[in-house]
Amino acid sequence: NAHSIKVPIDHFGENATNKGLGKTFPNRYWLNDSYYDGGPVFIFDSGEQDAAPLVPYYLQEFHGLSAVMRLAKRYKGIAILWEHRFYGDSLPFPVNINTTADQWKFLTTEQALEDVIFFADSFSRQSSHNQPSRGPQSLPIHPSITPWIFLGGSYPGIRGALLRQRNPDTIFASWASSAPVEAQVDMSSYYKAAERSLTRNCSADWVAVTRFVDDTLKGNNNTAKTDMKFKLLKARLSGPGGNTTGADGLTPAVAEKTSNLDAATILMDPLDFYQYYGFGESILPFCNLLETRNSTAPAHESGIAASSTIEAAFDAFLVALGETDYDSIETPDDPVGDRSWMWQYCSEYGFYQRGDPNNPLSIETSFLSLDLFQQQCNEAFPVDLPASPNVANVNKYGGWNMSPSNVMFTNGEFDPWRTMGLASIESNGPHRTPSSNIPHCNTPTSSNSFFGLTYPGLVHVSDMRVLLTPDANHSNFQTVGFYSPIPQGHEAFYAGLQLFQRALDEWLPCFH
């Protein structure tokens, strides 16, 4: 069952020194103490989503093993799932298009980090007698007497790293998986990671077709532009086996009214599931259809555009789009989470995944510009949004140059979010190397390395998803976030878990 704790809406305002006088909201959390016998607290952060659907996966292991419960069992600890303010049912205010600027101002990195500290501080310091009448807060697990260990992947991974850096007296250790701790407005690097994972002929054709479409739609030949938009829309509306019935209602007039942006981004449909599924599972089928022209011709090592014509490559791309049909796959809708996360990236994180026309290997349309992202933010939040995201609010803790003690950072080689983390290989990145040598307890790592792993060939949070045996409900792209769909995910799960356990074996004896 869900528990809740009354958390101050504002930890730092006029009532911050006497928090009982300020307004509060109920923040949800879940707890599993089935293995508890005096061990640590393992707090798993659900981040920018409703936490409730995660309970049977991460805390109850109904569908397979989870890292947080494996750690709770090994160390006789308590597992907690924490819901982030402004997500799920942990709402200081209703979240919708009517949420005001005076309400959004309480969704900040600092307020949300302080929620965890407030929560940890609410537990009992007495290690003798439990008082069940007080509920979970009577458990003797205050961070002054019990190690609190934070687990998170992606944005929760950022939080794990920041909390250890910011509040080392509360958070004793963290495992930060796929944590983009360097907030940047310009994240044109996002699709660079995907491009690196492609076969070279598929990359060459994707780059060439993207540039061909951008150049045509930016040109002055209106007939060519409408024709191209029509073909792109028809490919998206078509299905496997050459089924074009979905495009029956499509007309040139509809195509002409379609924006350049909406038409050009159709080329990116095959990337919809890349972040979690990687090249082999999500893009290779598309690339094979593209390069063999739907299994009608042998693939050329240099690609179709180089061995034939750009028009032939474009036509083959359109057929492959229709055959893979990724756009028809329904994904769960979370309007509260979507809007709250949009406020967070518009106000503090940036991460604008723009197309860079100066990148000779870009597979993303240049119509996705920095100005467009900022315009979307300004339209969604017309009052009191900063002119540009205040990334300094995040990066003041060190960004990708941070060297916190007792933190393990893990990444997938081709994870788009690796480009904003300690393992970034971008030209402006720190170029630090991961080391599996366990640092001494409470000892920061060096500036040119970090403690952790980079998993070859893998992508986003590959090591902290639940290990499931595929069944009818867990065998497609709709299970993102819960399930490792790729065999190597099992290897990452155990590699990450085992290294973190070795680290805790080293660190826990020096608690106090």
Side-chain angles (χ1 to χ4, degrees):
N1 294 333
H3 303 280
S4 68
I5 178 173
K6 290 184 177 180
V7 171
I9 293 175
D10 183 9
H11 292 284
F12 312 110
E14 59 188 50
N15 291 317
T17 53
N18 190 347
K19 292 169 183 171
L21 295 178
K23 293 182 179 179
T24 63
F25 72 97
N27 204 121
R28 285 197 302 183
Y29 67 96
W30 293 259
L31 184 148
N32 186 336
D33 61 356
S34 55
Y35 298 124
Y36 180 60
D37 188 13
V41 172
F42 295 95
I43 180 167
F44 183 82
D45 189 74
S46 64
E48 69 281 28
Q49 61 184 316
D50 179 355
L54 277 63
V55 175
Y57 291 86
Y58 284 95
L59 274 201
Q60 296 170 318
E61 294 190 309
F62 284 169
H63 306 284
L65 302 182
S66 75
V68 67
M69 289 310 301
R70 293 303 88 203
L71 291 165
K73 182 177 182 180
R74 176 185 173 98
Y75 295 100
K76 297 181 170 63
I78 285 180
I80 293 173
L81 174 65
W82 177 255
E83 185 167 76
H84 194 293
R85 64 165 57 200
F86 281 82
Y87 294 91
D89 283 347
S90 298
L91 303 178
F93 311 98
V95 171
N96 50 50
I97 59 171
N98 298 316
T99 308
T100 67
D102 281 341
Q103 294 169 334
W104 282 123
K105 71 181 181 183
F106 296 110
L107 177 52
T108 66
T109 297
E110 287 298 314
Q111 296 282 3
L113 293 176
E114 193 64 23
D115 288 342
V116 178
I117 304 308
F118 179 87
F119 174 61
D121 199 44
S122 72
F123 286 92
S124 174
R125 298 170 187 263
Q126 304 299 319
S127 57
S128 53
H129 301 292
N130 282 2
Q131 303 160 28
S133 60
R134 282 191 59 213
Q137 266 58 47
S138 66
L139 286 164
I141 55 172
H142 190 274
S144 62
I145 58 172
T146 300
W148 277 58
I149 297 163
F150 196 98
L151 280 74
S154 195
Y155 169 55
I158 302 176
R159 283 163 53 76
L162 298 191
L163 279 166
R164 174 60 187 169
Q165 188 90 329
R166 178 183 184 271
N167 302 96
D169 291 339
T170 301
I171 301 301
F172 177 72
S174 292
W175 176 359
S177 176
S178 295
V181 293
E182 177 77 9
Q184 291 185 13
V185 176
D186 184 349
M187 196 185 176
S188 60
S189 59
Y190 182 92
Y191 289 102
K192 290 181 182 178
E195 186 281 323
R196 292 177 189 128
S197 74
L198 300 177
T199 53
R200 290 303 83 193
N201 54 359
C202 189
S203 167
D205 283 332
W206 209 320
V207 168
V209 169
T210 298
R211 193 165 291 273
F212 175 57
V213 169
D214 277 6
D215 289 347
T216 301
L217 296 182
K218 288 176 181 176
N220 298 317
N221 187 333
N222 290 331
T223 302
K225 289 162 69 172
T226 299
D227 181 58
M228 176 170 278
K229 290 177 181 179
F230 184 89
K231 289 179 177 178
L232 286 164
L233 289 165
K234 183 177 180 180
R236 173 178 275 176
L237 294 168
S238 298
N243 184 347
T244 61
T245 55
D248 283 350
L250 181 64
T251 65
V254 171
E256 187 178 12
K257 291 178 182 177
T258 301
S259 71
N260 292 337
L261 172 70
D262 288 345
T265 51
I266 291 173
L267 296 179
M268 298 168 63
D269 283 355
L271 296 166
D272 283 353
F273 301 96
Y274 173 79
Q275 175 173 298
Y276 284 99
Y277 284 75
F279 171 70
E281 296 294 318
S282 73
I283 302 182
L284 180 58
F286 169 81
C287 285
N288 285 341
L289 289 166
L290 166 62
E291 295 306 321
T292 65
R293 308 191 196 199
N294 198 17
S295 303
T296 64
H300 284 270
E301 189 174 345
S302 60
I304 299 170
S307 62
S308 180
T309 65
I310 183 59
E311 289 80 10
F314 179 57
D315 289 343
F317 203 103
L318 295 174
V319 172
L321 276 175
E323 292 297 317
T324 44
D325 201 25
Y326 283 170
D327 62 286
S328 69
I329 298 172
E330 292 184 12
T331 51
D333 193 29
D334 181 6
V336 169
D338 291 345
R339 193 158 191 86
S340 291
W341 179 242
M342 189 176 189
W343 169 263
Q344 289 198 259
Y345 73 71
C346 289
S347 61
E348 291 189 315
Y349 285 89
F351 296 145
Y352 294 171
Q353 297 161 17
R354 73 175 177 107
D356 182 2
N358 298 317
N359 173 14
L361 295 176
S362 179
I363 59 173
E364 179 186 14
T365 175
S366 59
F367 287 109
L368 283 168
S369 65
L370 287 179
D371 287 344
L372 174 76
F373 280 103
Q374 191 59 55
Q375 176 189 334
Q376 291 172 341
C377 286
N378 294 343
E379 290 172 355
F381 309 106
V383 180
D384 285 352
L385 187 73
S388 184
N390 285 327
V391 295
N393 293 355
V394 183
N395 294 336
K396 66 183 180 183
Y397 293 108
W400 54 22
N401 294 307
M402 66 164 55
S403 294
S405 63
N406 298 10
V407 179
M408 183 175 82
F409 292 94
T410 54
N411 297 273
E413 179 187 8
F414 294 125
D415 178 11
W417 294 98
R418 176 191 179 189
T419 63
M420 297 285 114
L422 273 66
S424 176
I425 58 171
E426 304 314 306
S427 57
N428 63 333
H431 297 274
R432 301 168 72 174
T433 55
S435 170
S436 58
N437 295 325
I438 297 165
H440 292 301
C441 174
N442 298 329
T443 303
T445 54
S446 70
S447 59
N448 59 2
S449 68
F450 62 90
F451 172 55
L453 297 167
T454 299
Y455 307 111
L458 291 184
V459 278
H460 198 52
V461 199
S462 297
D463 54 1
M464 213 177 276
R465 290 183 244 161
V466 170
L467 284 192
L468 302 180
T469 303
D471 59 30
N473 296 317
H474 302 95
S475 58
N476 58 43
F477 289 139
Q478 290 166 303
T479 58
V480 162
F482 300 131
Y483 161 59
S484 276
I486 38 183
Q488 304 96 304
H490 287 233
E491 298 172 18
F493 179 92
Y494 286 112
L497 184 61
Q498 288 167 6
L499 183 59
F500 195 55
Q501 288 172 346
R502 284 175 48 212
L504 292 180
D505 289 346
E506 173 85 15
W507 297 338
L508 284 171
C510 78
F511 179 68
H512 291 326

